[in-house]
Amino acid sequence: MVLTGQSSRGSAGVAPTVDRTSAVLTLGRSLTPSCLGPNEHLAGDLAEQSELAYLLAARRATTALDQAHPHVTFSLLHWVLDTWVDDAAREVFRQGAYLLADRYRELGLSQLLPIDRVWVGVRSIRSDAFGGFHHPNQGYRHLQLASVITRYGRLSDPRLASPELVALDLLRSYAHDCLHFGSFREYRLTRGR
């Protein structure tokens, strides 16, 4: 299940439905479609790049990131942070994100994964579900340009055992996925395979 609603930017964190014409026009203007991460590149001639831009934008407009976890309810990271009653936990994440941005900028990564592209598993109907950095089948999904993580602790219990620990673990997962977001990636069309 995915919680829906609008982010502070006015969207649900999901790209609008993709129109092939707009993808081609965007590509024709700048040769860098807006659906790409900071170090992603499209190979081929202009027609191949246009087709790649369309395919990537269509894939990145999906909300089907939760299919591997049908028992978990997901929410966007900034909504999770906004619902915390504990100001200290929110401050731990905020200060950590500032330090993270500065450190990654020093290393050459000037853009972090937008937090409205990070889905957080917050609840589960399974009583034995335990979330956190090592939860199975989560992490950065480069084709969707998004991340799927879970909050630390028992996902069947809505209370946070240690809000600061949950904040640190979410920061760890976010920092890890930002590295994947900033990795070099080249997309090319292949025929007949």
Side-chain angles (χ1 to χ4, degrees):
M1 169 192 285
V2 175
L3 300 179
T4 60
Q6 289 196 344
S7 71
S8 57
R9 292 181 6 196
S11 71
V14 178
T17 306
V18 178
D19 172 14
R20 182 181 290 272
T21 306
S22 67
V24 172
L25 289 174
T26 301
L27 186 63
R29 269 197 315 271
S30 66
L31 290 179
T32 308
S34 60
C35 66
L36 291 179
N39 293 310
E40 292 184 321
H41 307 279
L42 304 178
D45 61 24
L46 187 57
E48 292 171 325
Q49 290 180 14
S50 295
E51 186 174 348
L52 281 166
Y54 170 75
L55 292 170
L56 278 174
R59 183 64 78 111
R60 290 172 178 184
T62 184
T63 59
L65 296 171
D66 61 337
Q67 290 178 348
H69 304 284
H71 63 281
V72 176
T73 301
F74 286 85
S75 184
L76 290 172
L77 176 57
H78 62 89
W79 292 337
V80 171
L81 297 174
D82 287 347
T83 62
W84 285 351
V85 178
D86 191 310
D87 287 334
R90 196 174 11 256
E91 188 63 16
V92 164
F93 189 91
R94 191 178 73 75
Q95 288 295 324
Y98 282 132
L99 293 171
L100 173 72
D102 288 343
R103 179 66 177 138
Y104 281 179
R105 194 173 5 268
E106 290 173 9
L107 297 172
L109 181 59
S110 60
Q111 183 182 353
L112 298 180
L113 176 64
I115 64 169
D116 62 355
R117 299 297 296 177
V118 179
W119 293 94
V120 181
V122 293
R123 285 190 299 277
S124 177
I125 56 174
R126 287 186 17 205
S127 60
D128 64 338
F130 195 91
F133 184 79
H134 295 289
H135 188 78
N137 200 16
Q138 67 178 6
Y140 184 68
R141 309 291 200 255
H142 73 91
L143 286 178
Q144 289 85 13
L145 195 74
S147 177
V148 176
I149 60 179
T150 52
R151 73 161 172 86
Y152 182 81
R154 290 204 169 280
L155 295 175
S156 59
D157 186 355
R159 295 170 295 159
L160 303 179
S162 171
E164 291 87 358
L165 179 60
V166 172
L168 283 172
D169 191 69
L170 283 176
L171 182 65
R172 177 186 184 189
S173 296
Y174 177 66
H176 180 87
D177 290 349
C178 283
L179 286 175
H180 291 292
F181 171 71
S183 298
F184 177 83
R185 207 168 275 110
E186 183 175 90
Y187 296 96
R188 66 180 62 246
L189 291 175
T190 58
R191 304 285 182 210
R193 289 198 259 173

